[in-house]
Amino acid sequence: MADLRRLRYFLTVAQERSFTRAAEQLHVAQPALSRQIRQLETELGVRLLDRTTQSVQPTEAGRVLMARGSALCEEADRLWQDVRGFAAGESGTLSFGYSASTGYETAPTLLAAFAEAHPGITTSTRLLPTPEILAGVADGTLNAGLVRCPPPTPQLVRTLVRLERQGILMAEHHPLAVGSRDPLDVSALTDETVLLHARADNPGHYDAITEIFVRAGISPRLSERQLSFDAAHMPVARGDAVSVIGESALPGLPAGLVWRPLSPVATLEVHLLTHAGHQQPPTTHLLQATSRTARTRGWLRSPS
């Protein structure tokens, strides 16, 4: 099969209708260019150019090769570029897992910044419970995962992405919601029922929440959530309980709910998890995009 270099030589000569001009454009000697065209014609078994002392004209076979050869070269160029993109980390696939709580704002913001910086990388996203994200990054099923308060794990690297301010979510008719949206002192929760995910779902998050109460010297009633994800916050909306949630959830809150930030200020950590071993280029690019986004958004500054 004729190689692409000779095909490109032929296309240039046919377009220029001149060996002299084509040789100058290709930066090759004219005799060498003539030899390459003759070899191409020999390989294909057909004359491609009619040569006279005055001009060079493509034959009927040459015109067919011109019409289809240009598209072939363009496709080859795209192919080489795409394949080389894997080496540079600008092509490929990134498998990304995130927990429900990070899906309100943090994960979408990070993924949008990553996609803008690296449009050639396809991102596969999965909404998963925290234990499955930890396991997936550890076994390589996921390239990266975004979770709150992950435990130290030997084979995983935790990169702090956000210090997210926490507040109390309650029904608008709740006594603590009436007439105020100012910070709420933690001690006001002494006699409240606080809705929490089961500790097994994310021990780090559970312990961080209960530590807020311990530091304040209170012991509110704790009620385990029956649903792993409840966008309507039904027990809270009914007035059966209050819950501790991060400020990133505020834009999507249903009507009838009120959020008051906690006082003293309480924050929970959101981390990007990657494997401690060899990282593929897309993962490295994600870490860089995450760092830039966290800085520009001010996510790493502790709220005052």
Side-chain angles (χ1 to χ4, degrees), residues 90-260:
E90 296 302 334
S91 297
T93 301
L94 178 82
S95 180
F96 182 87
Y98 65 98
S99 62
S101 59
T102 66
Y104 293 111
E105 178 190 36
T106 310
T109 301
L110 290 182
L111 293 173
F114 178 67
E116 182 179 1
H118 304 283
I121 298 176
T122 301
T123 303
S124 170
T125 61
R126 298 177 64 189
L127 175 61
L128 296 168
T130 295
E132 292 186 28
I133 295 175
L134 294 170
V137 177
D139 66 19
T141 305
L142 298 173
N143 298 115
L146 192 68
V147 299
R148 296 179 299 183
C149 310
T153 307
Q155 64 267 47
L156 302 183
V157 175
R158 300 183 301 171
T159 300
L160 181 61
V161 173
R162 185 171 189 170
L163 295 171
E164 185 175 6
R165 188 167 191 177
Q166 302 297 300
I168 298 299
L169 186 68
M170 63 197 90
E172 62 182 359
H173 55 76
H174 192 285
L176 295 177
V178 176
S180 178
R181 300 297 183 269
D182 295 333
L184 177 69
D185 194 281
V186 179
S187 62
L189 302 175
T190 299
D191 297 323
E192 297 296 326
T193 298
V194 179
L195 200 61
L196 284 176
H197 288 288
R199 188 176 186 277
D201 293 341
N202 187 342
H205 175 257
Y206 184 96
D207 293 346
I209 295 295
T210 55
E211 179 61 23
I212 294 173
F213 306 142
V214 171
R215 287 197 303 265
I218 64 172
S219 300
R221 294 181 297 276
L222 303 181
S223 176
E224 187 173 306
R225 291 179 182 270
Q226 299 304 305
L227 297 175
S228 60
F229 181 68
D230 176 13
H233 302 276
M234 289 304 298
V236 174
R238 291 194 302 266
D240 297 340
V242 300
S243 65
V244 181
I245 68 169
E247 61 184 345
S248 66
L250 297 185
L253 285 180
L257 298 177
V258 171
W259 184 84
R260 293 182 62 183

